C-alpha cells in the first residue's frame, strides 16, 4: 500500500521562488501584456504587480534608454525566430539600481500571438562582482603599463606561451609576430 502523496500547493511554491515568474503575451498586432506575474514582482523589480499587469511598459520608465532599445530588439527577434529571450538590464529600484536577468521561452499560439514563459532574477550581487573585477583588472593593467612590467604565462595542457604586449615591447618584437612557440 502506497502512502498518500502530499498535495501540491502551487501558490506556495511560487511564493517561495527567489525570482519573478511570468507569462508575457504579444498578440499578432504587436500589442503586449503580462498574463501572469508571481508575487515577488514588487520586491525584486520594485514595481507593483498590478501596475505591470495593467501597463507592460511601466518598467521601461525605470530602465536606461539603451536597455529599452535592446529589450525591444531582443523581444522582436525572439518572436520572429522563436528563440529564447535573454537580457540583463539595470533598473531603478526604490532601494537603488538593481541588475535583472530576464530569460523566457516563446511559444507561437494558434491565433498568431507569441506567449513567453520565463523569469526575472536579481543578479545585482553577481554584476557588482563582475564590475569590481573589471575595475581591478583595469587598474592592474594601467599600473603594469606604467611600470613597464611584462607578464607571461605558460599553459601546461597546451604547451603554449602567452606574452602580454609589454613583454613583446621589452624584447623589441612586434605584436604582429604572434605568440612565441
Amino acid at each position: 500500500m502506497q502512502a498518500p502523496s502530499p498535495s501540491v500547493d502551487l501558490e506556495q511554491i511560487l511564493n517561495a521562488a527567489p525570482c519573478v515568474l511570468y507569462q508575457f503575451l504579444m498578440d499578432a498586432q504587436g500589442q503586449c501584456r503580462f498574463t501572469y506575474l508571481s508575487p515577488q514582482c514588487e520586491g525584486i523589480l520594485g514595481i507593483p504587480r498590478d501596475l505591470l499587469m495593467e501597463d507592460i511598459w511601466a518598467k521601461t520608465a525605470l530602465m536606461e534608454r539603451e536597455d529599452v532599445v535592446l529589450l525591444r530588439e531582443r523581444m522582436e527577434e525572439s518572436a520572429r525566430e522563436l528563440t529564447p529571450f535573454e537580457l540583463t538590464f539595470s533598473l531603478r529600484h526604490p532601494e537603488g539600481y538593481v541588475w535583472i536577468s530576464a530569460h523566457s521561452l516563446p511559444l507561437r499560439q494558434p491565433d498568431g500571438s507569441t506567449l513567453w514563459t520565463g523569469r526575472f532574477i536579481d543578479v545585482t550581487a553577481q554584476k557588482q562582482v563582475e564590475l569590481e573585477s573589471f575595475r581591478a583588472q583595469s587598474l592592474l593593467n594601467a599600473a603594469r603599463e606604467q611600470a613597464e612590467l611584462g607578464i607571461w604565462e605558460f599553459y601546461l595542457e597546451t604547451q603554449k606561451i602567452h606574452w602580454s604586449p609589454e613583454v613583446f615591447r621589452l624584447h623589441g618584437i612586434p605584436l604582429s609576430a604572434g605568440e612565441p612557440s
Side-chain angles (χ1 to χ4, degrees):
M1 177 178 249
Q2 286 185 321
S5 63
S7 63
V8 174
D9 184 347
L10 188 56
E11 193 64 30
Q12 187 177 13
I13 292 169
L14 293 172
N15 286 333
C19 61
V20 177
L21 300 172
Y22 67 87
Q23 281 197 316
F24 175 81
L25 184 75
M26 178 191 291
D27 68 23
Q29 290 74 40
Q31 297 298 311
C32 302
R33 65 184 171 90
F34 282 109
T35 59
Y36 177 80
L37 283 163
S38 64
Q40 296 83 339
C41 182
E42 189 164 3
I44 292 175
L45 301 177
I47 304 168
R49 181 174 158 186
D50 295 343
L51 177 60
L52 275 178
M53 292 295 286
E54 290 173 20
D55 179 9
I56 181 69
W57 302 114
K59 79 172 186 284
T60 62
L62 303 174
M63 294 172 64
E64 296 298 323
R65 184 164 193 230
E66 305 84 43
D67 287 340
V68 174
V69 170
L70 199 52
L71 172 99
R72 290 178 189 257
E73 287 173 359
R74 297 248 176 102
M75 195 170 63
E76 289 169 5
E77 177 185 341
S78 177
R80 186 177 55 253
E81 305 293 327
L82 291 180
T83 54
F85 172 83
E86 294 180 293
L87 182 65
T88 300
F89 57 92
S90 62
L91 189 65
R92 285 186 300 281
H93 190 282
E95 297 174 15
Y97 273 90
V98 294
W99 285 91
I100 302 296
S101 170
H103 178 87
S104 58
L105 300 174
L107 185 62
R108 186 81 69 226
Q109 301 299 295
D111 65 359
S113 63
T114 305
L115 180 70
W116 285 267
T117 301
R119 56 91 180 128
F120 294 118
I121 295 180
D122 182 343
V123 293
T124 303
Q126 296 94 313
K127 198 66 167 176
Q128 287 171 336
V129 167
E130 281 178 33
L131 294 171
E132 188 56 38
S133 176
F134 177 77
R135 183 180 158 279
Q137 187 64 45
S138 297
L139 289 172
L140 176 63
N141 288 342
R144 194 179 68 224
E145 287 173 17
Q146 195 68 308
E148 295 185 346
L149 291 174
I151 295 176
W152 63 271
E153 298 174 278
F154 179 70
Y155 300 101
L156 288 173
E157 310 84 46
T158 60
Q159 300 290 302
K160 299 261 183 202
I161 297 173
H162 170 74
W163 282 4
S164 69
E166 291 80 17
V167 173
F168 281 92
R169 194 170 29 78
L170 290 170
H171 288 287
I173 299 172
L175 283 170
S176 61
E179 300 284 352
S181 53

